[in-house]
Amino acid sequence: MGKFLYKYGDCVILLPRVSVLLYCFYFVFAFALAISFSLASDTDSECEEVQEQLTVVLPEQFRATFRITQHLIDDYDHSDSKSGSHSSSYPPKETVIKLAYDAANSRARAEFLAGQQIGKVYFLFYKQQHEYMIIKHDTSRRARCERSFLLESMPEISFPKSEQLRRRTTTETETETYHASHGLDVSKKEIEDWIHEDGDQNSVFGFIRNHIYVEAETKNEGGGKMGIPVAVVSENAHVNGTVTLVTTYRVEDLEKVDLFDESDFQIEKFGYTHNDCEFISGGFPYFSALYTYL
């Protein structure tokens, strides 16, 4: 049969050659088995990490109405007992902006229909580096036009990247109730709730959790979803489970535009020319367009 010398320390052990071959076989088998379990574990891990992804987008050229509600502001209704008139709250609870956004030509127009800047119309021309503010006439102020330099590139209305989002999954009944708690009437739309969290989740002050509601129907070239935003709901969340609703941004009457009419961006429609507008140093305030400021 043959013998095989095996030295262990100062001892010499004489083993049959067949036994050594069996030991080698067992060792190789055990090693292969360990490798297979490791690969299977990696595969399972990879499967668990694969999640549905979404890219949130708005058209490059569009018209829409943005309705912004600040939930931490009370609904004031102060009545003057002598005159019976009602004074508006300050700051106002709701802001409504009618926006024309033309990224292809680096320009935008924003008309404030409600809120602190009601009656103002902004024209932003990024290529020409000019911006205008037209104030319509009302009982409290005279109509006028002001202009300033706009020395920056046109910002893209962007959203968090797909890897920063996770989809909120729940039953349909829970979803209806949850949407209602956010003040959204989505009964006529098939929408999804995608969550973006920002800040230290262990902070005693809480962290920001944004719910991005989208109509997710189209697919991009990679096969992932592309969602059109319907609303963004911002809330302050705490580790103890307390959630405070902060702001709701609604996107209403969204219309994709292939080619804008030039009259949409003419201050002459309001009776002014460039030289009629008073120059103001320092520019005008930014205003919120979902995750972007214009």
Side-chain angles (χ1 to χ4, degrees):
M1 181 182 294
K3 303 289 184 180
F4 180 79
L5 289 176
Y6 175 73
K7 186 175 181 180
Y8 179 76
D10 295 330
C11 301
V12 177
I13 303 173
L14 211 58
L15 295 174
R17 191 178 301 276
V18 173
S19 300
V20 175
L21 293 175
L22 286 174
Y23 294 149
C24 292
F25 172 78
Y26 290 149
F27 175 77
V28 171
F29 177 76
F31 181 75
L33 197 61
I35 291 294
S36 65
F37 276 126
S38 175
L39 290 175
S41 175
D42 290 343
T43 303
D44 292 341
S45 172
E46 289 175 4
C47 290
E48 290 174 0
E49 292 174 0
V50 174
Q51 297 180 353
E52 188 178 15
Q53 291 194 335
L54 174 85
T55 302
V56 186
V57 293
L58 278 170
E60 189 180 37
Q61 296 170 287
F62 68 87
R63 292 189 187 93
T65 299
F66 288 176
R67 188 177 300 273
I68 307 167
T69 305
Q70 305 291 346
H71 297 284
L72 299 183
I73 299 176
D74 293 332
D75 289 312
Y76 292 100
D77 188 14
H78 300 288
S79 298
D80 188 326
S81 57
K82 294 182 179 179
S83 64
S85 63
H86 296 271
S87 61
S88 60
S89 64
Y90 181 85
K93 185 180 181 71
E94 188 171 80
T95 299
V96 180
I97 307 171
K98 189 175 181 180
L99 180 66
Y101 182 84
D102 185 5
N105 295 290
S106 299
R107 59 188 180 179
R109 187 197 70 223
E111 181 175 358
F112 282 77
L113 305 180
Q116 184 179 346
Q117 300 197 71
I118 186 172
K120 294 182 180 180
V121 184
Y122 290 90
F123 290 85
L124 310 174
F125 297 99
Y126 293 89
K127 280 184 179 179
Q128 293 81 5
Q129 298 186 334
H130 287 296
E131 61 178 338
Y132 302 87
M133 179 182 69
I134 293 175
I135 301 178
K136 297 179 180 179
H137 173 73
D138 60 26
T139 55
S140 63
R141 56 193 174 191
R142 65 180 179 86
R144 65 183 186 275
C145 176
E146 297 176 352
R147 61 181 171 88
S148 188
F149 290 123
L150 185 59
L151 304 178
E152 59 185 70
S153 301
M154 185 173 190
E156 177 187 357
I157 300 182
S158 58
F159 296 86
K161 296 179 180 179
S162 58
E163 58 266 24
Q164 297 175 303
L165 299 173
R166 61 181 176 86
R167 184 177 176 183
R168 181 180 182 275
T169 56
T170 183
T171 66
E172 182 137 351
T173 305
E174 289 174 335
T175 300
E176 290 285 336
T177 305
Y178 199 76
H179 291 174
S181 72
H182 281 176
L184 299 176
D185 178 14
V186 295
S187 57
K188 297 180 181 179
K189 292 183 178 179
E190 295 294 328
I191 70 168
E192 297 174 357
D193 178 3
W194 290 74
I195 295 175
H196 172 236
E197 293 175 335
D198 188 21
D200 181 3
Q201 297 189 13
N202 296 314
S203 170
V204 295
F205 302 105
F207 59 94
I208 295 298
R209 178 188 293 142
N210 291 323
H211 296 261
I212 305 176
Y213 289 93
V214 300
E215 290 185 75
E217 298 177 354
T218 57
K219 301 280 185 179
N220 60 26
E221 292 181 357
K225 287 185 177 180
M226 296 185 69
I228 303 297
V230 174
V232 175
V233 178
S234 180
E235 57 189 18
N236 184 256
H238 291 262
V239 289
N240 62 7
T242 305
V243 176
T244 303
L245 198 58
V246 179
T247 308
T248 297
Y249 300 83
R250 292 182 181 83
V251 182
E252 302 174 351
D253 304 321
L254 178 65
E255 175 193 358
K256 182 180 178 181
V257 178
D258 294 324
L259 184 64
F260 273 103
D261 192 309
E262 287 301 314
S263 62
D264 289 330
F265 295 94
Q266 290 177 347
I267 63 173
E268 287 79 7
K269 287 180 63 174
F270 294 88
Y272 298 100
T273 64
H274 175 81
N275 293 329
D276 293 330
C277 302
E278 179 186 359
F279 178 77
I280 301 296
S281 177
F284 305 118
Y286 291 98
F287 58 89
S288 174
L290 301 176
Y291 270 82
T292 307
Y293 284 89
L294 299 175

